[in-house]
């Protein structure tokens, strides 16, 4: 070890923070805020708070993490902070520096060592869980709350009673400011169409599956549920994304999680990164499948159709809003068809179904109350504009679509009903069953048995040569097809006839009409509960 450096200093270089470094600065800010990040979960919640300070040049925000007192789920914090591009102070420098405000989202941090007034936020929606194997409510550890003098931010007045049990001095330090995470979600609900498109659900319902960590969670109870969902849900009727608690990747590692979900991901599952994207996934959801974690309450607050999975959690606090939601929301029955249960949850949902549960967890809006608290602690006048939370980032575009489909067909005169599933090992009893496989992304086994080989082309000119080569290469294939736009597909059969087919859905659906020999007679394709018209012409 380099002489004079602690283990933390080797990772975080000393940075020019403190009045002795003023001459090195470009913007002459007058207040410094320190953000203590114990876990990725805590960090993402504090970003919602920090969005209320945007555009204020009087304030410099810096971050730190106490690596010598790291959390069990502390893995990933360093990468999270690096991706944010923030100034990160070594813990040893942070405890030697005076700050105008300290923000934290875990009472387990050594907050008493930091110099400056502080605000402590819960790292979930209120206080709904016990620490594992204890009867201590997470976020309300008595000794640690008595050991620091931070203001304690609450989401509801009823939580004051919990603090009074710890001690009157602790309760006097509390302020009810609502839930900034929920308010930021609500402030972005008008963007649900853009978010849904980002998750591949522009033309179909989006199922958002969320799992907290632990053996009672959705993932812990049934690790194969994601694969089963993707295998049972027709790809043209549902898009599926998953938002998993950062504690899962912290304990098992991102690589391991990706490999455990490899089949589901190949079948179209969009895996949201732990650090960001889950908010957009909840907003965009047509239905949410959740366990007894905070995201179930947020889904209820967004008034989304909800199904619960996983075991009833021993860590859920009896009498809490989460316990009330667990009693009221319908539960997934693994032995019954998943598609039917999801449709029923969506069809039977009534707006306001969980209003009383949400009102017991969060009291009032947060932006004005919380910004007022922040600026009082900073001893600054608030900005003149109305307090509001910043827009959430739009998720990155969805990954490549499914590489192989199992397709069934039911002709009815001028209409053909088509149903497509990812080509997993789960069997489906389908009429006129056939396989379509992507020319480069599908496996050798899938291509060897495919009736339709397909690709995407930006221009129609190379299609004839490509299609002829594919039909030579794959003797089992009856049709070569190329998607050349969102609505147009080109096909070539073994007789050499080429067609251009148009429809307002995935145009590759029309390749099945050529395989069935009904491209000239079919006028309508039925996909689940909707129908689309098809036009076809010989090239």
């Amino acid at each position: 070890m380099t002489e004079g450096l602690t283990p933390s200093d080797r990772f975080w270089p000393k940075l020019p923070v403190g009045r002795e470094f003023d001459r090195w600065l470009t913007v002459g800010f007058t207040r410094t805020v320190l953000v203590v990040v114990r876990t990725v979960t805590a960090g993402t919640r504090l970003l919602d708070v920090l969005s209320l300070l945007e555009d204020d040049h009087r304030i410099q925000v810096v971050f730190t993490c106490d690596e010598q007192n790291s959390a069990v789920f502390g893995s990933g914090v360093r990468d999270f902070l690096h991706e944010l591009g923030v100034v990160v102070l070594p813990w040893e420098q942070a405890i030697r520096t005076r700050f105008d405000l300290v923000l934290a989202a875990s009472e387990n941090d050594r907050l008493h060592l930091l110099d400056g007034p502080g605000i402590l936020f819960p790292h979930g929606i209120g206080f709904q869980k016990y620490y594992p194997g204890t009867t201590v409510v997470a976020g309300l550890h008595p000794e640690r709350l008595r050991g620091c003098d931070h203001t304690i931010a609450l989401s509801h007045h009823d939580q004051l009673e919990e603090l009074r049990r710890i001690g009157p001095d602790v309760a006097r330090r509390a302020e009810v400011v609502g839930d900034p995470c929920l308010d930021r979600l609500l402030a972005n609900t008008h963007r649900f169409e853009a978010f849904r498109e980002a998750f591949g659900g522009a033309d179909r319902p989006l199922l958002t599956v969320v799992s907290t960590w632990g053996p009672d969670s959705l993932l812990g109870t049934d690790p194969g549920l994601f694969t089963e969902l993707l295998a049972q849900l027709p790809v043209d009727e549902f898009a599926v994304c998953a938002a998993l608690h950062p504690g899962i990747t912290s304990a098992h590692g991102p690589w391991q999680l990706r490999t455990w979900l490899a089949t589901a991901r190949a079948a179209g599952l969009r895996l949201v990164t732990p650090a960001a994207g889950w908010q957009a996934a909840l907003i965009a959801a047509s239905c949410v499948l959740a366990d007894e974690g905070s995201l179930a309450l947020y889904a209820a607050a967004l008034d989304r159709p909800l199904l619960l999975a996983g075991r009833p959690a021993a860590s859920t606090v009896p009498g809490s809003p989460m316990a009330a939601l667990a009693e009221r929301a319908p539960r997934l029955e693994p032995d019954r068809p998943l598609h039917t249960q999801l449709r029923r949850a969506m069809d039977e949902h009534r707006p306001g179904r969980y209003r009383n549960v949400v009102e017991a967890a969060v009291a009032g809006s947060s932006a004005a109350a919380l910004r007022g608290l922040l600026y009082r602690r900073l001893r600054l006048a608030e900005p003149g504009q109305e307090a509001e939370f910043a827009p959430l980032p739009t998720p990155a575009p969805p990954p490549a679509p499914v590489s192989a489909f199992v397709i069934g067909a039911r002709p009815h005169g001028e209409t053909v009903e088509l149903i497509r599933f990812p080509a997993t090992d789960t069997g489906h009893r389908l009429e006129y069953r056939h396989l379509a496989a992507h020319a480069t992304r599908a496996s050798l086994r899938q291509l060897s048995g495919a009736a339709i080989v397909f690709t995407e082309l930006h221009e129609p000119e190379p299609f004839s040569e490509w299609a002829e080569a594919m039909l030579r290469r794959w003797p089992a294939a009856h049709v070569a097809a190329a998607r050349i736009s969102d609505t147009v597909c080109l096909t070539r059969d073994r007789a050499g006839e080429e067609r251009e087919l148009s429809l307002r859905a995935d145009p590759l659906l029309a390749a099945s009409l050529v395989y069935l020999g009904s491209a000239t007679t079919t006028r309508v394709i039925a996909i689940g509960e909707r129908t689309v018209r098809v036009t076809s012409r010989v090239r």
Side-chain angles (χ1 to χ4, degrees):
M1 181 185 303
T2 304
E3 185 178 356
L5 289 182
T6 68
S8 178
D9 283 325
R10 286 180 294 151
F11 300 120
W12 307 119
K14 187 172 183 180
L15 293 161
V17 175
R19 292 293 164 243
E20 68 271 27
F21 296 108
D22 281 356
R23 64 184 181 277
W24 298 99
L25 302 176
T26 299
V27 176
F29 59 86
T30 61
R31 300 290 189 274
T32 305
V33 175
L34 177 69
V35 181
V36 186
V37 180
R38 184 168 181 80
T39 63
V40 172
T41 303
T44 57
R45 294 193 65 83
L46 292 171
L47 290 179
D48 295 327
V49 176
L50 293 171
S51 72
L52 294 172
L53 303 179
E54 287 187 357
D55 285 330
D56 195 327
H57 302 154
R58 300 171 295 175
I59 301 170
Q60 165 79 49
V61 179
V62 297
F63 291 68
T64 193
C65 63
D66 186 357
E67 292 192 315
Q68 295 182 19
N69 180 45
S70 61
V72 173
F73 290 152
S75 175
V77 168
R78 191 182 305 163
D79 291 339
F80 169 73
L81 294 174
H82 176 74
E83 290 173 10
L84 285 177
V86 297
V87 172
V88 181
L89 268 64
W91 180 255
E92 290 74 18
Q93 183 181 358
I95 62 176
R96 295 193 300 267
T97 305
R98 171 70 184 179
F99 298 97
D100 298 290
L101 183 61
V102 177
L103 303 179
S106 173
E107 83 276 30
N108 298 315
D109 285 309
R110 296 188 290 176
L111 302 176
H112 62 284
L113 298 180
L114 297 167
D115 187 4
I119 304 175
L120 177 62
F121 295 87
H123 62 269
I125 182 167
F127 306 100
Q128 317 291 333
K129 296 285 185 179
Y130 292 124
Y131 284 114
T134 76
T135 56
V136 177
V137 179
L140 296 176
H141 195 291
E143 292 180 8
R144 291 161 189 164
L145 289 182
R146 295 188 194 110
C148 76
D149 59 359
H150 281 46
T151 298
I152 302 170
L154 302 179
S155 64
H156 197 282
H157 296 86
D158 289 351
Q159 295 158 7
L160 284 167
E161 188 58 35
E162 298 288 337
L163 296 184
R164 291 189 184 101
R165 295 191 187 101
I166 297 173
D169 290 341
V170 175
R172 278 194 288 270
R173 289 191 275 113
E175 285 210 27
V176 178
V177 295
D179 187 296
C181 179
L182 173 57
D183 273 20
R184 196 175 186 192
L185 286 168
L186 293 172
N188 282 266
T189 52
H190 64 287
R191 303 171 63 203
F192 75 94
E193 290 180 347
F195 290 161
R196 185 169 295 178
E197 183 176 358
F199 290 112
D203 57 350
R204 52 190 168 156
L206 173 69
L207 171 64
T208 298
V209 187
V210 299
S211 178
T212 189
W213 63 276
D216 295 331
S217 68
L218 182 149
L219 182 64
T221 301
D222 186 359
L225 179 59
F226 290 94
T227 300
E228 192 66 24
L229 278 169
L230 272 294
Q232 289 195 32
L233 297 179
V235 297
D236 298 297
E237 296 182 41
F238 279 97
V240 184
C241 71
L244 306 181
H245 192 285
I248 298 173
T249 50
S250 184
H252 299 287
W255 176 87
Q256 183 65 78
L257 185 62
R258 290 195 300 270
T259 60
W260 279 339
L261 298 176
T263 300
R265 291 169 55 232
L269 177 69
R270 171 76 183 274
L271 190 59
V272 178
T273 61
W278 67 264
Q279 301 97 326
L282 280 187
I283 291 170
S286 307
C287 185
V288 176
L289 179 60
D291 51 24
E292 295 180 20
S294 286
L295 268 61
L297 271 171
Y298 285 126
L302 291 170
D303 214 2
R304 297 298 184 259
L306 180 64
L307 268 176
L308 293 185
R311 287 184 290 267
S315 60
T316 299
V317 176
S320 66
M322 186 66 248
L325 181 63
E327 292 177 0
R328 186 174 302 184
R331 281 197 173 267
L332 187 73
E333 300 177 42
D335 296 333
R336 294 179 54 220
L338 300 176
H339 181 271
T340 302
Q341 294 183 72
L342 293 174
R343 282 291 181 189
R344 179 174 297 170
M346 294 165 61
D347 293 342
E348 296 181 355
H349 178 72
R350 297 294 177 265
R353 178 174 185 173
Y354 305 112
R355 182 179 294 115
N356 292 342
V357 173
V358 176
E359 289 176 348
V362 181
S365 60
S366 178
L370 179 53
R371 193 178 76 171
L373 172 61
L374 293 171
Y375 277 88
R376 287 198 306 276
R377 292 294 179 270
L378 286 166
R379 294 172 288 109
L380 286 175
E382 285 191 62
Q385 69 271 22
E386 183 178 349
E388 63 177 348
F389 289 100
L392 290 164
T394 301
V402 178
S403 57
F405 304 92
V406 173
I407 307 168
R410 289 181 181 174
H412 305 284
E414 290 190 346
T415 299
V416 172
E417 180 183 349
L418 292 177
I419 185 167
R420 299 192 297 180
F421 295 94
T424 64
D425 291 332
T426 302
H428 294 281
R429 294 183 178 180
L430 302 171
E431 298 180 33
Y432 295 100
R433 177 186 174 114
H434 55 288
L435 178 69
H438 192 277
T440 56
R441 295 197 300 266
S443 70
L444 179 62
R445 176 176 59 85
Q446 290 168 336
L447 282 163
S448 297
I452 300 170
V453 177
F454 67 90
T455 192
E456 298 86 18
L457 295 174
H458 298 296
E459 300 291 340
E461 284 73 18
F463 172 73
S464 297
E465 183 178 351
W466 173 86
E468 186 177 353
M470 288 298 102
L471 293 174
R472 284 198 308 269
R473 183 173 183 181
W474 305 109
H478 294 256
V479 180
R483 183 195 293 116
I484 62 169
S485 74
D486 291 341
T487 59
V488 177
C489 173
L490 301 181
T491 64
R492 181 185 178 98
D493 62 19
R494 286 212 166 268
E497 182 177 84
E498 293 188 6
R499 285 189 171 272
E500 179 182 294
L501 300 107
S502 302
L503 65 159
R504 292 192 175 278
D506 182 356
L508 288 172
L509 285 161
S512 290
L513 304 182
V514 178
Y515 167 75
L516 295 169
S518 58
T520 59
T521 59
T522 300
R523 299 292 179 266
V524 176
I525 293 177
I527 313 163
E529 297 180 349
R530 66 188 177 117
T531 58
V532 293
R533 296 198 65 81
V534 183
T535 60
S536 173
R537 69 176 182 87
V538 177
R539 293 186 76 205

